[in-house]
């Protein structure tokens, strides 16, 4: 590999970045005017079924499973590969132009960043966040651990291992080392507790599972063998237990546009959509 000498002043090559090149740019703000759609429920979610998007839809489905009817929501699809996140409507909700973004019509409040959304929902509905100060603090330790760690997995390892237009040994090795260290952190924690931070299922688990649960089950980046995921036995036990939850099975497919058709519910506006509007059902109806 030839040595790279950075120029004195960096300039943007908008074709550089592989499959996800169109999702990134060096400036903020809207690139076109468009209002966001609004559904009938109090909570309006604008997202895509990436790991960050799954966090929120899993949380909302878990709240509904508890009988929290105020958590009914409309999940509108934001196709980040097509630049929907740069519309004026979306930027008004999230000036950072990243999914997910939430509008609470009951309060008029916007909430962006997945960790902030789950914390907001947990406090709004009084669920999945312990009230005991020590347990709450430990839960939040893992919430912020995830928010700081996942970029090394997605933007680091995932990008260079699976998406970069060229494969380079140094960044793949660098981020593989860090991701395996992170899995070991989780595996050690889960050897002592059923869930992250204790024996109670919380937002820490909902935030972490879409990233590290999918990873350790071999469902991310086609990297299961490369990362030797089967060796993380405690992490795998936790991942399998959470995947078995019906609310997780529902939430993980909302706004999803990849994978088996029966695991893609592009938009969710009613609970019945899981039975009637997954892409396999839509394809059958149009044949």
């Amino acid at each position: 590999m030839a040595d790279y000498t950075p120029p004195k002043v960096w300039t943007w090559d908008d074709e550089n970045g592989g499959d996800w090149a169109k999702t990134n740019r060096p400036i903020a703000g809207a690139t076109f005017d468009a209002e966001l759609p609004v559904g009938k429920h109090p909570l309006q979610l604008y997202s895509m079924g990436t790991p960050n998007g799954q966090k929120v839809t899993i949380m909302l489905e878990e709240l509904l499973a508890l009988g929290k009817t105020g958590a009914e929501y409309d999940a509108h699809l934001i196709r980040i590969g097509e630049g929907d996140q740069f519309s004026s409507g979306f930027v008004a909700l999230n000036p950072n132009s990243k999914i997910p973004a939430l509008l609470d019509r009951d309060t008029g409040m916007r909430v962006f960043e997945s960790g902030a959304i789950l914390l907001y929902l947990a406090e709004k509905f009084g669920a999945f966040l312990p009230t005991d100060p020590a347990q709450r603090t430990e839960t939040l330790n893992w919430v912020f651990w995830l928010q700081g760690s996942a970029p090394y997995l997605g933007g680091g390892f995932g990008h260079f291992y699976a998406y970069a237009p060229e494969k380079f040994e140094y960044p793949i090795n660098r981020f593989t080392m860090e991701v395996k260290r992170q899995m070991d952190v989780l595996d050690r924690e889960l050897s002592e507790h059923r869930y992250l931070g204790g024996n109670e299922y919380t937002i820490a688990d909902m935030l972490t599972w879409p990233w590290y649960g999918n990873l350790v089950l071999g469902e991310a980046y086609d990297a299961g063998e490369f990362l030797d995921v089967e060796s993380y036995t405690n992490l795998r036990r936790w991942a399998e237990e959470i995947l078995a939850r019906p609310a997780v099975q529902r939430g993980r497919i909302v706004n999803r546009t990849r994978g088996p058709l029966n695991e893609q519910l592009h938009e969710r506006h009613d609970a019945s959509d899981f039975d009637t509007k997954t892409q396999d059902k839509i394809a059958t109806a149009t044949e």
Side-chain angles (χ1 to χ4, degrees):
M1 180 176 66
D3 289 339
Y4 169 67
T5 301
K8 289 184 178 181
V9 178
W10 181 85
T11 56
W12 178 32
D13 176 3
D14 61 4
E15 295 300 319
N16 185 26
D19 292 346
W20 296 99
K22 293 182 180 179
T23 69
N24 297 301
R25 57 198 179 100
I27 56 173
T31 60
F32 65 98
D33 289 328
E35 295 183 1
L36 292 174
V38 178
K40 62 183 179 179
H41 297 303
L43 298 175
Q44 299 294 302
L45 177 66
Y46 302 91
S47 190
M48 189 171 175
T50 66
N52 285 333
Q54 288 179 8
K55 298 172 187 178
V56 181
T57 48
I58 286 172
M59 174 65 162
L60 289 167
E61 291 298 328
E62 291 282 13
L63 288 168
L64 291 171
L66 280 184
K68 306 284 187 180
T69 56
E72 273 292 354
Y73 67 104
D74 292 279
H76 306 276
L77 177 59
I78 300 296
R79 295 183 182 271
I80 60 176
E82 298 178 12
D84 292 351
Q85 70 275 29
F86 300 124
S87 75
S88 57
F90 190 88
V91 171
L93 271 190
N94 184 356
N96 196 39
S97 292
K98 302 288 184 181
I99 60 96
L102 180 74
L103 173 65
D104 185 343
R105 298 173 70 196
D106 284 343
T107 64
M109 296 179 67
R110 71 177 188 183
V111 196
F112 59 89
E113 290 296 324
S114 56
I117 294 173
L118 264 67
L119 183 58
Y120 176 85
L121 293 172
E123 292 180 334
K124 178 181 176 75
F125 293 102
F128 301 117
L129 181 63
T131 55
D132 173 79
Q135 294 177 357
R136 177 186 172 91
T137 297
E138 185 65 10
T139 297
L140 292 178
N141 287 340
W142 289 103
V143 166
F144 285 97
W145 178 90
L146 180 280
Q147 295 299 102
S149 297
Y152 289 95
L153 170 54
F157 173 79
H159 175 76
F160 286 104
Y161 182 81
Y163 300 132
E166 299 178 76
K167 297 288 190 289
F168 295 114
E169 182 179 7
Y170 176 78
I172 290 174
N173 282 345
R174 167 67 180 85
F175 288 111
T176 298
M177 182 183 300
E178 174 60 13
V179 167
K180 288 184 71 66
R181 188 194 69 80
Q182 292 173 356
M183 287 196 289
D184 193 46
V185 169
L186 294 170
D187 196 66
R188 289 170 186 263
E189 167 68 14
L190 293 165
S191 71
E192 299 180 1
H193 301 105
R194 182 178 179 185
Y195 297 112
L196 291 177
N199 294 314
E200 182 179 341
Y201 179 60
T202 69
I203 59 172
D205 301 289
M206 297 179 211
L207 284 162
T208 305
W209 184 87
W211 283 107
Y212 295 91
N214 279 319
L215 182 70
V216 80
L217 295 176
E219 298 296 324
Y221 309 122
D222 196 23
E225 182 178 6
F226 179 76
L227 294 172
D228 188 23
V229 295
E230 293 187 2
S231 66
Y232 300 93
T233 56
N234 303 300
L235 182 56
R236 283 176 65 86
R237 183 270 309 160
W238 167 86
E240 290 168 354
E241 182 175 347
I242 291 177
L243 179 58
R245 298 178 67 91
V248 173
Q249 294 177 25
R250 292 192 296 273
R252 65 185 288 273
I253 73 171
V254 177
N255 296 145
R256 188 172 179 179
T257 60
R258 294 186 175 188
L261 294 180
N262 66 329
E263 295 184 359
Q264 294 185 37
L265 181 62
H266 287 185
E267 297 214 350
R268 186 268 193 213
H269 301 286
D270 188 86
S272 64
D273 291 347
F274 292 101
D275 298 320
T276 62
K277 294 186 178 179
T278 52
Q279 287 301 294
D280 61 319
K281 303 285 178 42
I282 291 176
T284 300
T286 58
E287 289 178 356

